[in-house]
């Protein structure tokens, strides 16, 4: 999934990436938005579309990895029905060498389908 600005420049991308074998029913959700286009709802729209893509691919569960201190990002995914599943202390190192906690958030589509309908996820077309 690609989001472009009025000049055609790419400002965001997202996708659902199903696992294989024993985790074929689980999709990893990835969302990237350029710094200049954050806090406008674009990330939320891309994340919703990626979840719909996961459902259309036949996945019943999805997960996303985020830096735990990015509270707004964690809240956005929780608003979409994701729940914290694991916290991995000092699991990520940034470009300056500083460590950060990684949070794993999960969505069980089979348990969350009514919530998805309320959020309009069933109406988003990837």
């Amino acid at each position: 999934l690609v989001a472009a600005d009025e000049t055609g420049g790419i400002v965001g991308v997202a996708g659902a990436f199903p696992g294989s074998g024993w985790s074929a029913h689980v999709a990893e959700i990835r969302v990237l938005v350029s710094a200049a286009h954050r806090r406008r709802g674009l990330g939320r729209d891309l994340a919703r579309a990626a979840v719909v893509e996961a459902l259309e691919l036949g996945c019943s569960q999805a997960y996303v990895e985020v830096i735990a201190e990015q509270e707004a990002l964690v809240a956005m995914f929780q608003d979409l029905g994701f729940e914290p599943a694991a916290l991995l202390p000092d699991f990520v190192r940034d470009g300056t060498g500083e460590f950060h906690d990684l949070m794993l958030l999960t969505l069980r589509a089979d348990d969350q389908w009514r919530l998805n309908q309320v959020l309009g996820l069933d109406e988003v077309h990837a």
Side-chain angles (χ1 to χ4, degrees), residues 28-45:
E28 178 182 2
I29 302 297
R30 296 182 196 161
V31 180
L32 298 169
V33 176
S34 71
H37 291 84
R38 293 182 185 151
R39 299 198 177 271
R40 299 180 189 179
L42 177 59
R44 179 180 306 274
D45 291 343

Side-chain angles (χ1 to χ4, degrees), residues 69 92-100:
E69 64 197 48
V92 176
R93 187 169 50 192
D94 65 23
T96 67
E98 187 175 341
F99 289 95
H100 302 275

